[in-house]
Amino acid sequence: MQEEKKIDAVECFVEDISKAREIFWINPAVQAAKGGCRKYVSDGAQSDNISRKDIDEAEARLIRFAPYIERVFPETESQGGIIESPLAKIPKMKSYLESHGDKIFGDLFLKCDSHLPISGSVKARGGIYEVLKYAEELAVAEGILTYEDDYSVLAEDRFKEFFSGYSVAVGSTGNLGMSIGIISAKLGFKVDVHMSHDAKEWKKEVLRKAGVNVCEYSGDYEKAVAEGRKLAMADPRCHFVDDENSIDLFLGYAVAGRRLARQLAEQNIPVSEGNHLYVYIPCGVGGAPGGIAFGLKDEFGDNVHIYFAEPVQAPAMTLGLITGKFEKISATDVGLSGLTEADGLAVSRPSALVSPIMQRMLDGCFTVKDERLYPYLANLGEIENIWIEPSACAAFPGPGLVSVNVINGKKKHCHPTHIVWATGGNAVPENIMREYCKKSRDVKETN
Ligand SMILES: *Cc1c(COP(=O)(O)O)cnc(C)c1O
């Protein structure tokens, strides 16, 4: 009986997903964090070797590289070469969301990874981290760098010359390519970015200007990644950044957890048993939001609840988790197009590395129609003066959904803090942003 009911619920969700309806799904398999983050990774799997110690290492590596980052990207000077973004309270946006939807219990914040230095998206965490790690490994193995050195020497021509004997490759819908391309070219690597058809033209232009070789494909993200992987694997001096399986990317993102913990403490925002934190993150393949979720769970345990947001036409992780089929199911298998104007989320199949971890860690997922993204974008811009890209707006329905369906009536959650993770936007050219705003007006007129 119990089993039958469960199957029914799954079928209902899959039916709604296949009809491109917006859904809100609470994960029945979420596990308490007791015992730390280790319990979320399955023994024997590829993710077996991810633990708190690895996040410590990733953080230490980013600190070693800070003098280099500060030297070659002067915009990071004020943060001493640490790539971090502000946490902004957005009370006016909260009022806007409430006047167009459900009441939100608690305060609303925006984590502005849209404004991360260097590439203006969340990919400046994982993407840059992975390339720095590769560069460090090469230079240390060659005997031209030690962990104790001041890494600003890496900006010298002799290092650029050394790195030019190696290459970096990645498949991307856009933002990952931007991060990998910019940092790799800066270090001196040759770099190929394999881009899917949904990648925006202006992103390709930025990359070409930075000296990146942009390879274009008529197929989707999965095909661009597969092609890039094949070419890269044939070359031992090429490092392929594997968005679907990379532990290094994951760890670069995970460092966000402890950084956010410090920011919350600085702003006197308590996270405790009576003050739960609710975090909403737009999801593509799952690496960025998964890594961030891992870092947050590691910091806050059961006092943090994490939800992923996806477009109705590309609900890769949502579908993978609801069916339990992970990367074995694609949004296209249930008749969806996989196409969305949220280019950062235009992914049909979730990461094989990340999905099983999220099955135990995530509180839930929800999907959003593309046409809702533009009004969020335009209103956030107009009333809070924070400009972000359409993909980064996917998480805005979260606080209302969770307030009504989860928090409502529960006393122990009496002072919740909601954080919508703005995953990108600062690199968007002004004329493109104006087009997005125009689309918001078009949506209003047709409704
Ligand atoms: C890449 C990206 C995401 C999601 O990251 P995944 O690792 O693909 O899940 C979300 N928003 C933006 C703007 C992105 O570029």
Side-chain angles (χ1 to χ4, degrees):
M1 192 63 212
Q2 199 65 10
E3 190 60 18
E4 258 172 48
K5 245 195 202 151
K6 219 168 95 192
I7 291 167
D8 277 353
V10 169
E11 272 177 8
C12 280
F13 276 117
V14 173
E15 162 96 2
D16 282 349
I17 288 173
S18 68
K19 299 225 158 89
R21 291 184 191 131
E22 291 185 342
I23 63 155
F24 175 66
W25 174 71
I26 296 173
N27 180 10
V30 65
Q31 291 180 11
K34 229 193 246 149
C37 250
R38 281 288 313 154
K39 74 168 293 179
Y40 292 112
V41 287
S42 55
D43 288 320
Q46 186 198 5
S47 59
D48 190 23
N49 39 12
I50 305 179
S51 70
R52 182 175 177 88
K53 195 176 111 284
D54 298 300
I55 311 177
D56 292 342
E57 250 175 51
E59 189 182 30
R61 180 167 288 113
L62 289 168
I63 291 170
R64 286 201 292 279
F65 270 97
Y68 169 74
I69 296 292
E70 186 176 354
R71 178 162 170 190
V72 296
F73 298 106
E75 73 262 37
T76 64
E77 231 168 72
S78 63
Q79 301 184 151
I82 294 295
I83 303 163
E84 195 43 71
S85 75
L87 175 68
K89 195 169 184 181
I90 46 170
K92 291 182 205 150
M93 188 62 181
K94 182 186 165 192
S95 303
Y96 167 80
L97 291 172
E98 290 185 317
S99 64
H100 290 76
D102 296 314
K103 179 159 175 54
I104 295 168
F105 298 102
D107 290 326
L108 180 62
F109 290 82
L110 193 71
K111 180 58 179 161
C112 302
D113 277 9
S114 47
H115 291 69
L116 276 175
I118 302 176
S119 66
S121 88
V122 67
K123 305 301 191 314
R125 296 185 185 277
I128 289 177
Y129 173 74
E130 175 153 347
V131 175
L132 294 179
K133 181 169 181 236
Y134 179 54
E136 184 183 57
E137 277 167 5
L138 288 173
V140 168
E142 184 74 7
I144 53 177
L145 183 75
T146 71
Y147 296 132
E148 291 73 38
D149 286 347
D150 174 344
Y151 279 24
S152 63
V153 293
L154 289 166
E156 292 171 10
D157 285 344
R158 61 193 172 100
F159 280 97
K160 283 194 186 162
E161 216 161 280
F162 169 65
F163 291 132
S164 73
Y166 297 85
S167 62
V168 175
V170 66
S172 169
T173 62
N175 285 339
L176 184 62
M178 296 264 281
S179 286
I180 301 288
I182 292 169
I183 186 67
S184 300
K186 188 64 96 180
L187 280 159
F189 288 112
K190 288 194 292 259
V191 46
D192 292 331
V193 174
H194 302 271
M195 287 219 164
S196 53
H197 63 74
D198 18 33
K200 301 277 187 257
E201 203 48 50
W202 66 266
K203 289 183 181 171
K204 296 177 193 164
E205 271 166 41
V206 170
L207 285 177
R208 288 193 188 104
K209 271 196 198 128
V212 172
N213 178 33
V214 177
C215 317
E216 301 181 72
Y217 296 90
S218 55
D220 66 4
Y221 159 85
E222 236 178 272
K223 297 219 180 71
V225 172
E227 198 53 38
R229 185 186 286 124
K230 201 170 80 195
L231 290 171
M233 289 306 171
D235 179 358
R237 291 168 84 86
C238 177
H239 178 79
F240 181 67
V241 177
D242 192 337
D243 195 16
E244 291 169 320
N245 297 291
S246 168
I247 290 178
D248 288 336
L249 278 179
F250 191 82
L251 291 172
Y253 293 123
V255 173
R258 48 192 67 191
R259 301 256 187 91
L260 181 70
R262 276 176 225 139
Q263 277 181 325
L264 288 165
E266 276 162 22
Q267 298 188 27
N268 293 317
I269 302 161
V271 182
S272 65
E273 211 174 310
N275 304 280
H276 280 197
L277 188 61
Y278 294 85
V279 182
Y280 312 91
I281 320 174
C283 177
V285 72
I292 293 168
F294 194 84
L296 286 170
K297 273 287 172 191
D298 185 50
E299 284 299 312
F300 299 115
D302 292 330
N303 295 332
V304 66
H305 305 276
I306 298 148
Y307 295 84
F308 285 179
E310 293 186 291
V312 289
Q313 287 290 348
M317 185 65 75
T318 306
L319 187 63
L321 293 184
I322 286 179
T323 59
K325 292 186 181 165
F326 304 151
E327 83 286 0
K328 307 243 162 39
I329 190 165
S330 158
T332 55
D333 294 343
V334 298
L336 294 169
S337 68
L339 299 177
T340 165
E341 299 190 42
D343 56 333
L345 317 178
V347 175
S348 301
R349 198 185 289 278
S351 156
L353 167 72
V354 177
S355 356
I357 306 176
M358 292 308 115
Q359 189 193 35
R360 302 178 204 104
M361 181 176 279
L362 269 200
D363 276 70
C365 298
F366 55 90
T367 57
V368 57
K369 289 187 173 158
D370 278 12
E371 70 223 41
R372 290 230 262 158
L373 303 176
Y374 297 107
Y376 289 139
L377 182 155
N379 281 284
L380 180 74
E382 278 158 25
I383 62 186
E384 300 280 2
N385 198 25
I386 304 174
W387 295 92
I388 68 178
E389 64 187 86
S391 298
C393 294
F396 277 116
L401 284 169
V402 167
S403 291
V404 166
N405 296 295
V406 180
I407 300 174
N408 205 359
K410 278 193 202 160
K411 239 196 162 152
K412 67 171 185 174
H413 298 292
C414 48
H415 299 291
T417 298
H418 302 269
I419 298 180
V420 167
W421 213 281
T423 43
N426 200 34
V428 177
E430 242 181 86
N431 60 320
I432 307 274
M433 199 57 95
R434 267 197 295 274
E435 270 172 40
Y436 290 154
C437 287
K438 187 178 169 302
K439 282 190 183 167
S440 169
R441 287 192 292 276
D442 296 346
V443 171
K444 259 184 227 156
E445 277 154 26
T446 53
N447 280 348

